Amino acid sequence: MPGEVQRGLEDVVALESRICFIDGREGRLLYRGYDIRDLAAHATFEEVAYLLWHGRLPTAAELGELKRQLEALRSVPDELVRELYELPMGANPMDVLRTAVSALAIYEPEQAGPGPSSIGGAQHLTAALPTILGAYHRRRMQLPDLVPRPGLSHAAYLVYALLNREPTELEARAVEVALILHADHDLNASTFAARVTASTLSDLYSAVTSAVGALKGPLHGGANERVVELLEEIGTPEKVEGAVRAKLARHERIMGFGHRVYKVEDPRATILREWSRRLGEAKGNLRYYRLLEKMVEVVHREKGLYPNLDLYSGSVYTLLGVPIDLFTPVFAASRVVGWTAHVLEEYDDLRLIRPVSRYVGPTDLVYAPVGERS
Ligand code: COA
């Protein structure tokens, strides 16, 4: 008989993993044993990708090789680009991304076999997601079509693909840090969705398609979009107090605050706050930073809640010129590394994930032919 129901699988330990450790009481986050603060201060996104996939930091030669591979894997089949151009230009970019990831599998049947060879698919998806997003976004904004631009880091290529311009050094590092901070977070909903799919011995592309669908939901990937919408609505720091108190009085949630796991400040928020300030200073636009600081003060005083990563990521992307509906796709372009690392770990120690439910419906109904039903 099934035991006690844990709604939302809260606090259920579903499996053992060596990828990501979160201590919600101390506000610590580790990737493969390395503190996120250390990685955000010193590592590149490519190094973090290698670390998450392989379980250790790369040597200089291995890192050079990975960078070359990722750059070479940025292209996607012309047929897929044509398919993207056929999609309605008003589509939700997360729907476009989900469709493209799913379609890519059809062009790469050799990557479809689950197992260690899926690392090739992990690298291609990571390299190609900015290309997919850039191809679609440029077409809908009537920007020039995306053409290869060699020599860019993954973060700089993402900015170039989306915005048709190369970032400054500071902008590129700000995006890189944001990508590092979003790369993995244990068994969050989308990663769990990816692992469930992989655990049936389905292929990596199907697992990532499941994950993109799960990330799309506003309870998971979409909070930073709402934060920026709220900031635009509030307008000036003097109006923050009244706006936040009014929302709380109506029992509305303030996006970017609170966390299921962290009971103190999300360590990723601490790091990204600094980048929001640095970028704001460099652009002579501290408006978002000041609004956010006032919000942090009021929400903590009124509700005792701490900010999470989503409070600051939207301000960083907005300062770069990334439109709001691309925030969640940019999240996906980073989390794909975590999803695929988890899929590879699942293949390595596979056990079909199949929980049970507690049935609470009737058990004694008798079938009646359709003509006899009222
Ligand atoms: N704004 C206002 N109140 C909040 C809040 C928020 N962002 N987050 C939690 N609370 C309040 C709840 O209303 C509840 O108050 P009550 O006890 O007076 O009813 C209390 O804090 C506990 O909330 P609960 O939903 O049980 O906490 P949780 O740990 O399950 O929620 C989140 C975690 C992330 C779902 C929640 O904090 C939230 O909705 N945050 C906003 C969305 C967001 O930023 N998501 C990104 C997460 S990285």
Side-chain angles (χ1 to χ4, degrees), residues 10 218-220 223 227 248 251-261 263 266 268 299 303 305 308-311:
E10 190 169 352
L219 292 187
H220 187 2
V227 171
L248 291 176
H251 300 287
E252 285 177 29
R253 283 177 187 239
I254 315 288
M255 294 294 133
F257 289 89
H259 200 277
R260 175 65 64 78
V261 183
K263 301 305 166 205
D266 177 342
R268 303 167 302 170
V299 173
K303 212 56 193 162
L305 289 168
N308 61 49
L309 174 70
D310 285 319
L311 189 70

Side-chain angles (χ1 to χ4, degrees), residues 13-17 187 192 195 342 345-346 353:
V13 180
L15 48 89
E16 285 187 344
S17 175
L187 285 192
F192 191 57
R195 284 194 82 133
H342 278 269
E345 189 179 60
E346 187 63 41
I353 299 173

Side-chain angles (χ1 to χ4, degrees), residues 10 30 53 59 87 90 100 110 114 137 161 203 332 340 352:
E10 190 169 352
L30 311 180
W53 286 329
T59 63
L87 294 172
E110 70 282 2
H137 177 63
D203 64 285
T340 51
L352 176 70

